[in-house]
Amino acid sequence: MRKIIKKSIALAAAAVLLTGCGEAVTPLTESEEAIVIQYSAGTLAKHNSFQQEGLTAVYPEEEEPEQEEEVKEPKEEEPKEEKPKEEKKQKTEDDKNKDKQNSDEKAQQVGESTFTEALAVPGVEFSYKDYSIVSSYSQGDYFSLDASAGNVFMLLNINITNTGNTAAECNMLNKKPQFTLNLNGDKSVKNEITILANDVATYAGTLEAGQTEAGILLFEVPQKVVENISSMQLTLEMDGKTTEIKMK
C-alpha cells in the first residue's frame, strides 16, 4: 500500500510539472519542487480512503480483552469447637474447690478464744458474767443515753481482774477493739463506743494486785429480738484479726 501511495505522489508531481498551455516548462528549483511534491501528496492523501490523516499512518494498538474479575467466594467460617463436657465439668469442680479453700481460709482467720486470750493484756483476766436489758443507761450525773424508738440497750457485764501479785496496766484505747454481737443467728450489731470509765472497749487504768473492776459492753438492739434470745455470739476485731469470743 505504501508503494502505491509513493508512486501516486510521483505521478501527480510529474503531471503538475508537465502541464502547460503549449508554453515551455519553467524549470523549478529544488525547494520549489519540494513544495509542489508536498502539496500534491497532501491533496492525494486527502482523497485517498485508505490513508489516514497525514502522511504517516499510525495504527492504534489492539486493546487486550479485559480479564474478568475473579469472583471471590466468601470463606466459610470454621465451626467453633465446643469445649468438651469433661473440661467444663473439670472447671466447675475447680471452682468448687476454690470456694471451699477460700471458706477454709476464712474459717482459720476467725478463731475462737476466751475474753482473756483475745484481748491479751498481761496479768489481766476478762470474764463474762451476764447481760441486762435497759431502755436507757446512765452513770452518775455526767452520762446518760437513751435508746432510739423500737430499740433497747443490751449490756454485757464483764469483770476485769488483776490476777497477779503486782499492779497491772490495762489500756484498751491503744488496742482499739471492736465487738460485734449476733443474736439468734440473725441480727448483728456493733458495740457503742462511750466515755464510760468501765467501758471495756475504752478502758484505761491501773489495776492493783487482786483488784476487780465491773466492766460493760453496750449494744443497741431491736426490742423484738431480745424478747426471745435463743443464741448469742460475740466476735472481736483487733489488730486485723477476727476472733470469736467464748461466752461461757
Side-chain angles (χ1 to χ4, degrees), residues 75-90:
K75 295 182 179 180
E76 296 182 0
E77 294 184 359
E78 296 181 359
K80 295 181 179 179
E81 296 181 358
E82 293 185 0
K83 293 183 178 181
K85 292 183 178 180
E86 293 183 359
E87 184 177 349
K88 292 182 179 179
K89 183 179 180 181
Q90 181 65 33

Side-chain angles (χ1 to χ4, degrees), residues 60-84:
E61 296 180 358
E62 295 183 0
E63 297 182 357
E64 296 181 359
E66 296 182 358
Q67 295 181 354
E68 295 182 359
E69 295 183 357
E70 296 181 0
V71 179
K72 294 182 179 181
E73 297 181 358
K75 295 182 179 180
E76 296 182 0
E77 294 184 359
E78 296 181 359
K80 295 181 179 179
E81 296 181 358
E82 293 185 0
K83 293 183 178 181

